[in-house]
Amino acid sequence: MGRAGRRAYAPTGAEVAPKAASHACRGKSDPLRHGLNAFRPATTRLRQGLLDAACESAGPALDFAVSLDSPRVAGHVWEFRQHLTPYSREAPVNAFEQRTREVLG
């Protein structure tokens, strides 16, 4: 019993489950959010000096970004490509840039 003889309220499993499910799915079902975060691993790998891994992880992110057709996500693509500029003569960067041109037109 809680204060003054009242029982403390505890939600039942039926009340908790839908809320928990909605929190678990948040972000996973939001394509724009996923698209905005898609280049984060690639950028992190690039900052760690892992150029091959950065370009490799950017490929699927590029595919997803193109499917969204979002100016904000396109900005993330542009920003990642800007980070690659100092490495423009490296093979992984050339391959990624070629793929970007093919996908974006």
Side-chain angles (χ1 to χ4, degrees), residues 25-98:
C25 294
R26 190 173 292 154
K28 293 180 183 177
S29 62
D30 183 1
L32 181 59
R33 178 173 294 188
H34 180 72
L36 292 173
N37 292 323
F39 280 92
R40 185 171 288 159
T43 302
T44 299
R45 289 180 177 104
L46 184 61
R47 288 181 181 149
Q48 293 171 339
L50 304 171
L51 187 59
D52 290 344
C55 291
E56 185 177 319
S57 64
L62 177 64
D63 293 337
F64 190 74
V66 168
S67 73
L68 289 178
D69 192 30
S70 162
R72 286 180 65 194
V73 175
H76 286 271
V77 174
W78 181 85
E79 183 180 342
F80 181 74
R81 291 176 74 193
Q82 291 301 113
H83 289 302
L84 292 176
T85 301
Y87 310 100
S88 62
R89 294 178 186 229
E90 300 293 330
V93 175
N94 288 327
F96 178 76
E97 285 297 326
Q98 175 64 32

